[in-house]
Amino acid sequence: TDNNVQSLTDKLEQAVEQVSGSDLSEIRAIELLTEIKKDQPEEIQPILENSIDELTQKLEDQLLQLPEQERVEKVLDYIEASPGNPVIQFEAADELKDHFDDPTLVELAEGIKDKAVENLTDLISEITDGTSKQEFVDIVVGDQVEDLKIITDIEIRVSPPETGVITETTPIVEEIKEIKAEIEQNIINRYADNPEQLALDVLPEE
């Protein structure tokens, strides 16, 4: 319900407030809210968006107090060491990019996405068989249209630039393509009984 979600966001913001100022806890909180957003109905989204916006502004104020090089290193080191889901890290970076005002922080959000892709490829390199890959897709990636958009963006980032010269596809690109196919199948299975909802989820909001 609205009240439950509002209570959750309030508690999350209060927890961040208690430790804010040194450990970039706002980033982790935004990752959690980004993950929660994926499963919430449309009427709940404004509550979550408002909370993400407030946390982003606190993070922006904190980061702008640091010299640019120091804040870049601090944030990227945090993302690299974070135990979080790299796909959620990537999505949260999109949220940061949308909510940051300072151009240097918008650029930093792109750096977070690159670091999240590195974390993801490290995880993918540990997959040893088809069962592990399916578990990875189910647990780390998902079965929603937004998940497919994210993995497509990641696929673009790990693919070599097009030069007109035929090059051999790297193993990580092949793995991403296979994971993308698994997500597509998950989406087909999810919407098998309700294709009309798939159309609504795919079409952009008016």
Side-chain angles (χ1 to χ4, degrees), residues 38-56:
K38 296 170 68 172
D39 297 317
Q40 296 301 318
E42 192 64 32
E43 61 269 20
I44 300 298
Q45 298 298 320
I47 297 173
L48 297 169
E49 276 294 322
N50 182 66
S51 185
I52 288 173
D53 186 60
E54 291 183 5
L55 288 165
T56 303

Side-chain angles (χ1 to χ4, degrees), residues 77-203:
D77 286 348
Y78 175 87
I79 297 299
E80 183 174 10
S82 172
N85 179 334
V87 175
I88 298 299
Q89 290 176 337
F90 192 95
E91 292 180 85
D94 259 341
E95 292 286 353
L96 289 173
K97 186 177 178 180
D98 289 342
H99 289 271
F100 277 147
D101 294 320
D102 185 86
T104 64
L105 295 184
V106 172
E107 184 178 350
L108 178 55
E110 282 294 327
I112 294 174
K113 292 169 79 171
D114 289 336
K115 186 62 69 174
V117 170
E118 289 181 24
N119 291 347
L120 180 65
T121 56
D122 288 344
L123 280 180
I124 291 173
S125 68
E126 298 173 4
I127 297 174
T128 56
D129 54 46
T131 301
S132 298
K133 186 175 297 180
Q134 184 59 58
E135 290 175 352
F136 176 88
V137 171
D138 291 343
I139 296 171
V140 178
V141 188
D143 62 355
Q144 300 188 38
V145 173
E146 187 62 31
D147 298 321
L148 182 59
K149 294 177 183 176
I150 292 296
I151 206 67
T152 300
D153 195 349
I154 291 172
E155 179 188 14
I156 293 171
R157 285 172 180 263
V158 300
S159 298
E162 295 185 6
T163 61
V165 178
I166 298 176
T167 57
E168 185 176 349
T169 303
T170 63
I172 192 63
V173 173
E174 287 291 347
E175 291 286 356
I176 292 287
K177 287 182 181 297
E178 291 178 14
I179 288 170
K180 182 179 176 182
E182 296 277 3
I183 298 170
E184 290 170 344
Q185 187 59 53
N186 282 354
I187 291 173
I188 290 170
N189 295 340
R190 180 180 184 188
Y191 290 96
D193 297 327
N194 191 7
E196 294 82 4
Q197 185 61 47
L198 174 59
L200 292 173
D201 291 345
V202 170
L203 289 173

Side-chain angles (χ1 to χ4, degrees), residues 16 19-31 55 58-60 62-64 66 70-80 82 96 100 108 112:
V16 168
V19 296
S20 182
S22 60
D23 69 348
L24 304 178
S25 54
E26 289 89 354
I27 294 178
R28 180 57 182 152
I30 290 167
E31 289 176 6
L55 288 165
K58 291 177 184 177
L59 178 64
E60 179 158 356
Q62 178 190 153
L63 291 175
L64 289 178
L66 301 173
E70 181 181 343
R71 66 175 175 254
V72 168
E73 292 177 357
K74 183 173 184 176
V75 169
L76 296 186
D77 286 348
Y78 175 87
I79 297 299
E80 183 174 10
S82 172
L96 289 173
F100 277 147
L108 178 55
I112 294 174

